[in-house]
Amino acid sequence: MATVVLGSQWGDEGKGKLVDILCEDIEVCARCAGGNNAGHTIVANGISYDFHILPSGLVNPKCLNLIGTGTVVHIPSFFAELGAIQKKGLDSTDRIFISDRAHLVFDLHQLVDGLEEVELGAGNIGTTRKGIGPTYSTKAARSGIRVYELFNWPEFEKKLRSLHYGYKQRFSDLLQYDVEEELAQYKVYYETLRPYVIDAVPFVTAAFKAGKRVLVEGANALMLDLDYGTYPYVTSSSTGIGGVITGLAISPFNIKNIIGVVKAYTTRVGSGPFPTEQLNETGEHLQSVGREWGVTTGRKRRCGWLDLVIVKYSTAVNHYTSLNLTKLDILDGLKELKIAVAYNFEGQELESFPADLNVLAKVEPVYKTFPGWSTPTTKLAEYSQLPEEAQSYIAFIEEFVGVKVDYIGVGPGREHMLRR
């Protein structure tokens, strides 16, 4: 059976630590969507590893790892990331595979990503410029290139040249790109990539047939989902439970647990409305104490109070069976805490999270206020040791969302995760 870990907000909730803990007891770890546009750091045996496209299950020497069909893969970054963890002593031999149906991200896509952001001007999305959006665009337009196509060189070369031609027609001299250079690079990958490429459908089928314990590692989060997120300020893939099923060809009947990861406050990167954002001392506290800047981009994250309108909406879409509340310790020392429990728009309370961003930009959050706690929660070992105020904060989240909080993060290390 499978356990799925998904982000419930705008990403950066701290999914990596829970995945790291769960990896100790699983046999297959898989990525289902996205590319190297997100990342997290895992500390194992005193060594830090940065993961972007690689599944975190690589830290478990007995775990097989799959980059699934729904992902998009920048091969130079794949090899660079693999080389970095291997240099630190992590043996990945015969443990990491890429679906032959996944789409390739080219340097060409990354250049186009930057040009498209410039085109949008002040209305830019705030992408990582890793080429993810343009790659999914070519996938949807049926002009993309899948991993298996690399091994039919004449056809591969023809398709990459055609892709370049189309973008050159659009951007003209603004596109500074050498197709011959990228083709030469992929001529090398023609040999070096081959051992990693598999047909992922029988791989996944065999894993479940053998009764293996499978962990699906979600990337980004529900509010960045192409369909259910704050479109267009989203990523370009299905980041929710739907993307798990289609991105890996997993039967929904083989999913046992869906764990939603919720930061104890709210953050987001890039543009778009953010109802509980705090552009004040509270926001600065959350940003500095929480070390809120990205592993992938280094960009500072916007910070605000916990928004349970978002988490409840996210739960309705992803059907979480339990929650992991992270970074509770960052709230230590704040005299007063607020949680958004509803949105008012033009004097009326909204039924749910709105699709219309013009509405979202004008909503007034309805807050419930809680007393803070002065006793540090950092590095506590048991849930019962938490201050009463912190336990009340957690209990309210459970009651409002209707899902139990099974894991509580109170520090950066894997040992700082309280289990109930």
Side-chain angles (χ1 to χ4, degrees):
M1 297 295 284
T3 293
V4 179
V5 176
L6 297 172
S8 68
Q9 295 156 303
W10 273 296
D12 308 309
E13 298 92 352
K15 298 178 289 295
K17 185 166 69 173
L18 179 62
V19 168
D20 178 28
I21 291 169
L22 297 176
C23 277
E24 296 175 358
D25 193 41
I26 57 108
E27 297 164 285
V28 177
C29 183
R31 284 280 310 274
C32 59
N36 65 323
N37 56 326
H40 56 260
T41 300
I42 286 179
V43 180
N45 300 318
I47 302 173
S48 296
Y49 302 98
D50 289 338
F51 287 90
H52 300 276
I53 185 61
L54 296 179
S56 301
L58 281 167
V59 298
N60 178 348
K62 298 179 181 179
C63 181
L64 299 178
N65 297 267
L66 174 66
I67 299 172
T69 297
T71 66
V72 292
V73 188
H74 184 243
I75 301 303
S77 296
F78 166 79
F79 278 117
E81 192 174 330
L82 196 61
I85 66 170
Q86 287 171 341
K87 284 181 181 178
K88 293 183 177 182
L90 205 56
D91 184 9
S92 61
T93 306
D94 297 327
R95 295 202 299 118
I96 175 68
F97 305 101
I98 303 174
S99 170
D100 58 1
R101 291 176 170 86
H103 276 248
L104 291 169
V105 181
F106 295 101
D107 293 349
L108 174 60
H109 286 119
Q110 296 185 339
L111 291 170
V112 168
D113 201 351
L115 290 172
E116 288 181 337
E117 282 287 87
V118 171
E119 267 188 337
L120 291 169
N124 70 82
I125 305 301
T127 77
T128 58
R129 304 197 180 197
K130 297 290 185 180
I132 309 303
T135 304
Y136 277 112
S137 293
T138 54
K139 174 181 178 178
R142 301 185 296 278
S143 59
I145 303 176
R146 286 170 145 187
V147 170
Y148 77 85
E149 295 181 271
L150 172 59
F151 307 114
N152 180 350
W153 185 258
E155 187 66 20
F156 174 85
E157 181 179 1
K158 178 182 176 182
K159 291 191 74 170
L160 184 55
R161 290 187 186 279
S162 176
L163 199 61
H164 173 228
Y165 177 79
Y167 281 131
K168 193 68 175 177
Q169 291 293 104
R170 176 181 172 186
F171 292 107
S172 188
D173 291 341
L174 291 174
L175 179 60
Q176 297 296 310
Y177 168 76
D178 186 347
V179 68
E180 303 300 335
E181 183 178 333
E182 186 141 42
L183 282 168
Q185 194 176 29
Y186 273 84
K187 195 71 173 179
V188 176
Y189 298 144
Y190 178 87
E191 297 297 337
T192 57
L193 187 65
R194 194 182 295 269
Y196 300 95
V197 178
I198 63 168
D199 184 343
V201 175
F203 176 89
V204 171
T205 300
F208 283 106
K209 190 173 183 180
K212 291 186 180 296
R213 296 181 298 276
V214 177
L215 178 65
V216 181
E217 182 180 4
N220 306 119
L222 194 278
M223 300 313 295
L224 296 174
D225 184 89
L226 187 58
D227 293 307
Y228 293 102
T230 48
Y231 185 90
Y233 299 102
V234 294
T235 191
S236 302
S237 60
S238 296
T239 61
I241 193 65
V244 172
I245 295 168
T246 59
L248 290 169
I250 285 181
S251 165
F253 301 108
N254 283 331
I255 298 174
K256 183 179 181 180
N257 302 305
I258 306 171
I259 305 174
V261 184
V262 182
K263 193 178 287 185
Y265 47 100
T266 309
T267 63
R268 78 171 299 177
V269 171
S271 305
F274 182 174
T276 65
E277 184 172 15
Q278 298 296 299
L279 300 174
N280 51 30
E281 290 183 2
T282 298
E284 291 174 2
H285 169 91
L286 297 173
Q287 189 180 79
S288 60
V289 178
R291 298 177 61 82
E292 293 296 348
W293 48 85
V295 173
T296 299
T297 64
R299 290 186 296 179
K300 289 186 177 181
R301 299 172 188 141
R302 301 157 63 190
C303 299
W305 294 119
L306 177 62
D307 188 337
L308 289 189
V309 179
I310 286 175
V311 178
K312 195 166 188 175
Y313 167 76
S314 176
T315 302
V317 175
N318 281 338
H319 308 284
Y320 305 124
T321 57
S322 66
L323 299 177
N324 168 204
L325 186 68
T326 64
K327 304 188 83 166
L328 183 68
D329 56 300
I330 305 306
L331 302 181
D332 291 356
L334 291 175
K335 294 181 179 180
E336 185 178 84
L337 306 173
K338 293 183 179 181
I339 294 179
V341 295
Y343 293 160
N344 281 339
F345 176 68
E346 296 182 347
Q348 299 292 319
E349 183 176 312
L350 299 180
E351 181 181 8
S352 180
F353 189 87
D356 188 341
L357 296 197
N358 293 311
V359 171
L360 185 64
K362 297 175 183 177
V363 298
E364 296 180 3
V366 177
Y367 288 110
K368 182 173 176 61
T369 302
F370 296 81
W373 51 88
S374 56
T375 306
T377 61
T378 305
K379 302 179 182 180
L380 292 181
E382 301 288 341
Y383 177 80
S384 60
Q385 296 174 331
L386 287 173
E388 183 179 334
E389 296 86 351
Q391 293 189 36
S392 297
Y393 189 83
I394 295 167
F396 181 81
I397 294 169
E398 291 180 319
E399 180 183 355
F400 188 90
V401 178
V403 181
K404 185 179 179 183
V405 176
D406 281 340
Y407 301 88
I408 301 102
V410 291
R414 65 165 69 179
E415 68 276 14
H416 304 143
M417 183 77 83
L418 309 183
R419 308 186 195 194
R420 296 172 73 187

